[in-house]
Amino acid sequence: MAVASALTIPVAAQADTILYGSARVSVDYNDETLDSVDIDGTWDVVNNSSRLGVVGSEDLGGGLSAVYRYEFGVDVTEGGNWESNRPKYVGLKGGFGTLTLGTQDTPYYNVAGITDIFNSGKTFLYPQWLGGGFSLSGNRSQADGDLVRLSNSVYYSTPDFNGFSGEAMLVMDGPSSNISNNVDIWNLAAKYSNGPFFAGVSYIKLEGKSNVPLNPDTLPGVTFDLDLSNWVLGLGYNSGPFSVGFIYEQGSLYSLNLFTGIKNAAGTQFFPGDDATNWYLTGQYVFGNNTVRAAYGQLDTGVDGDDKIDNYVVGYQYNFSKRTSVWAEYIGRSASLYNVPGDSSTGLFMGDQNAVSIGTRVDF
């Protein structure tokens, strides 16, 4: 009896811990132009953010709970498992809201993500939204360098007030960031969600230094501006089988816009331009076990002379059950290569893309 009683203790303590995961694999054909190189079309078996994790809570009494989550990326195609930049946090939840510390989704993405509705990992990267194009350091962002998730963060979310809520995040990475001495990034969001309607706005700020020497030895007097920010407005409507999402973004916290921050000793921009802007519209219709999706958007890097980037995605999904589905998605991009002013032979960044992703997904 003593042994049996002892064995029940850890079971009871873990009663509120849930093991979960998602396996998402596809066969992709991809044909695109990147960094002036026209890449021949290739076929590949691709992992699409598969993951494994645990999430749970413990009732501490008096309306207070401890909450925790520990999630890892799992590459089911090549064995690159236990990727670190998945949500991991611990904190407290009560009448005051929720306060957590760790690696966490940003309030910015929690607004812009209203349009992240497809399965393929190619459908919401840096050509499609401004939050997808900036990497502060390897330990603080995903491998593709976006602002979906940030580590070394403190996160607070308010309770729900008749559909209204707020979120705030502070990122503090110590001296290793070489960006600032205190808070490196701060991010605020206000959201409204009631019935089929969603509206949100978010502002994210990199508290970087201005006039940082780019390379004093080879480029004396040339500086780089790291005092950058973005804002996004998100709108959504989901009623029955039909749903739509829309975002509009503007800012300088975007990789293809960073060149506008390079200046000479006189303060003149090497690459004249202004903030980047982006809009993206998505729609979805569900009938029976079938789901069809479509999206179109246009991104302007803000760099003078750089043509706008047109993005379009269409997809079909068949649901065998609530947990298992298959998909077929087409990802298209129309973008002229950006050329260095005065040198029409030098193309940078990206050109057109045509990709097809056929995959399967099982959630548990």
Side-chain angles (χ1 to χ4, degrees):
M1 292 179 63
V3 172
S5 298
L7 290 176
T8 62
I9 293 175
V11 174
Q14 298 178 25
D16 293 330
T17 300
I18 299 172
L19 174 69
Y20 69 93
S22 182
R24 312 176 187 186
V25 186
S26 62
V27 175
D28 290 8
Y29 175 79
N30 189 42
D31 183 8
E32 64 180 324
T33 303
L34 290 173
D35 297 331
S36 305
V37 179
D38 188 5
I39 304 172
D40 292 334
T42 58
W43 290 92
D44 194 9
V45 178
V46 177
N47 180 63
N48 297 272
S49 299
S50 300
R51 75 288 303 268
L52 180 68
V54 294
V55 63
S57 63
E58 180 188 6
D59 187 355
L60 303 177
L64 186 66
S65 298
V67 294
Y68 52 90
R69 184 176 180 183
Y70 218 67
E71 181 178 299
F72 292 98
V74 180
D75 188 343
V76 297
T77 62
E78 298 179 354
N81 298 328
W82 314 124
E83 299 167 357
S84 62
N85 189 247
R86 301 299 307 177
K88 301 176 188 66
Y89 56 78
V90 63
L92 297 173
K93 180 178 181 179
F96 60 88
T98 304
L99 179 66
T100 52
L101 295 86
T103 300
Q104 305 171 85
D105 291 348
T106 65
Y108 191 92
Y109 176 73
N110 288 341
V111 173
I114 190 71
T115 55
D116 187 7
I117 63 174
F118 294 90
N119 292 285
S120 169
K122 293 181 173 64
T123 60
F124 208 58
L125 295 177
Y126 72 102
Q128 286 95 357
W129 69 301
L130 300 188
F134 185 82
S135 175
L136 188 60
S137 65
N139 71 327
R140 195 185 288 152
S141 60
Q142 290 181 319
D144 53 14
D146 61 19
L147 297 176
V148 169
R149 195 171 297 110
L150 296 175
S151 61
N152 304 98
S153 63
V154 179
Y155 198 104
Y156 171 70
S157 58
T158 70
D160 182 274
F161 299 103
N162 296 320
F164 292 94
S165 62
E167 301 172 0
M169 171 183 274
L170 301 178
V171 175
M172 297 171 283
D173 202 11
S176 63
S177 67
N178 198 29
I179 297 297
S180 66
N181 296 323
N182 299 298
V183 173
D184 298 310
I185 289 178
W186 56 273
N187 185 192
L188 301 174
K191 300 190 298 183
Y192 175 75
S193 181
N194 189 5
F197 299 102
F198 170 85
V201 62
S202 181
Y203 179 80
I204 187 166
K205 180 70 161 51
L206 170 63
E207 290 288 354
K209 302 172 184 177
S210 300
N211 301 320
V212 178
L214 189 62
N215 192 324
D217 296 330
T218 60
L219 298 171
V222 178
T223 60
F224 192 56
D225 188 3
L226 289 176
D227 186 23
L228 310 170
S229 63
N230 280 352
W231 67 267
V232 60
L233 169 69
L235 301 172
Y237 179 81
N238 186 349
S239 179
F242 181 71
S243 63
V244 294
F246 174 80
I247 59 172
Y248 179 82
E249 304 173 274
Q250 181 174 333
S252 55
L253 191 57
Y254 179 63
S255 60
L256 301 187
N257 184 263
L258 296 181
F259 293 91
T260 62
I262 302 176
K263 302 176 183 178
N264 61 22
T268 303
Q269 292 175 303
F270 276 97
F271 299 88
D274 206 343
D275 285 350
T277 59
N278 176 57
W279 64 267
Y280 199 60
L281 176 67
T282 61
Q284 174 177 290
Y285 184 73
V286 179
F287 55 101
N289 291 347
N290 309 279
T291 303
V292 291
R293 300 181 175 102
Y296 177 74
Q298 191 173 79
L299 190 152
D300 185 347
T301 68
V303 181
D304 290 351
D306 197 353
D307 290 339
K308 293 180 175 64
I309 301 170
D310 292 303
N311 295 291
Y312 30 92
V313 187
V314 293
Y316 170 78
Q317 177 177 311
Y318 181 80
N319 304 302
F320 292 102
S321 67
K322 292 183 178 180
R323 294 170 45 188
T324 302
S325 60
V326 293
W327 78 77
E329 295 173 351
Y330 168 76
I331 304 98
R333 182 182 70 228
S334 178
S336 299
L337 290 174
Y338 172 73
N339 293 297
V340 175
D343 184 2
S344 60
S345 66
T346 307
L348 297 174
F349 308 136
M350 68 180 71
D352 295 340
Q353 179 185 30
N354 291 283
V356 176
S357 176
I358 303 172
T360 183
R361 171 175 173 171
V362 178
D363 299 324
F364 60 91

